Amino acid sequence: MEILLYVSAAIAALSLLLIAIFVITTLKSAKATMNEVSETLTSMQGKLNGITDQANELLENTNRITEDVERKLHSLNSVSKTAEKLDDSTVHMNKSFQSLSEQISTPDPKHKDLMQKANTITGIAASIYFRAKREKAKQTKASYTSTQGKQNTGRTDLLPSPQKRLPEPQQKN
């Protein structure tokens, strides 16, 4: 029986040795796995830092763009207000031009006679001026043609077209 005791002690020692071997190989495998996990975590941390930096830059750019858009919207509001004021000014100017146009198209009867006389005098003065200019041109051309031996053709189109007369005032009934 003693042999059985030694055999069982040897089997137990062999079992403990095998358990120790398996534990050591398992620990070595676990250590290699832990090293890989540590490297993966370090790599992921580096990548996350890069992503975080890019996200921060993107956030800063977004903030700058937002501020720029707000400034431009403020400027656009100013332009819009100016356009509204311009519209009011345009309406006022149109009314002024309409009023002036009505005053010119329907003058006071007391001024109409004076305007017709002034128009007649202006027409006569223009006619005299252009006649004198035509005569001077003829003399200049005659002296030029006499020295060159050419004939004076004379132009009659130097007078301006007659001025349009104002219509007679209509009497209101």
Side-chain angles (χ1 to χ4, degrees):
M1 269 247 298
E2 252 184 60
I3 290 190
L4 277 176
L5 194 58
Y6 289 123
V7 171
S8 65
I11 290 176
L14 188 62
S15 296
L16 285 175
L17 181 66
L18 283 175
I19 288 175
I21 290 173
F22 285 127
V23 167
I24 289 173
T25 56
T26 303
L27 286 176
K28 282 185 180 181
S29 173
K31 184 178 179 183
T33 303
M34 290 301 284
N35 285 339
E36 288 177 12
V37 167
S38 176
E39 288 175 9
T40 303
L41 284 176
T42 304
S43 171
M44 286 183 65
Q45 186 177 10
K47 289 180 181 179
L48 283 176
N49 286 340
I51 291 172
T52 303
D53 291 342
Q54 289 178 354
N56 287 337
E57 286 179 28
L58 182 62
L59 186 60
E60 289 174 8
N61 286 340
T62 304
N63 288 338
R64 271 189 252 125
I65 290 171
T66 303
E67 290 172 1
D68 186 44
V69 167
E70 287 175 357
R71 272 195 317 270
K72 288 181 180 175
L73 281 175
H74 183 67
S75 298
L76 189 60
N77 286 339
S78 299
V79 169
S80 165
K81 289 177 184 176
T82 303
E84 289 174 7
K85 290 178 183 177
L86 182 64
D87 186 45
D88 294 342
S89 298
T90 305
V91 167
H92 180 68
M93 284 182 62
N94 284 341
K95 287 180 182 177
S96 297
F97 284 137
Q98 184 66 31
S99 171
L100 183 62
S101 172
E102 288 174 7
Q103 287 177 359
I104 291 172
S105 67
T106 55
D108 249 350
K110 62 182 178 180
H111 294 72
K112 187 169 185 174
D113 187 43
L114 179 64
M115 289 170 65
Q116 285 178 342
K117 288 178 183 177
N119 192 17
T120 304
I121 291 171
T122 305
I124 291 169
S127 176
I128 292 170
Y129 171 77
F130 284 111
R131 233 180 247 151
K133 190 174 179 181
R134 186 181 62 214
E135 289 300 320
K136 185 177 179 182
K138 280 183 183 180
Q139 290 173 358
T140 306
K141 201 170 197 182
S143 67
Y144 177 73
T145 54
S146 66
T147 58
Q148 299 296 324
K150 296 184 179 177
Q151 299 227 353
N152 185 4
T153 57
R155 294 183 50 171
T156 58
D157 60 342
L158 294 176
L159 287 177
S161 62
Q163 297 292 321
K164 183 178 177 182
R165 293 203 176 257
L166 292 174
E168 294 293 323
Q170 296 178 356
Q171 294 181 355
K172 294 183 182 178
N173 293 335

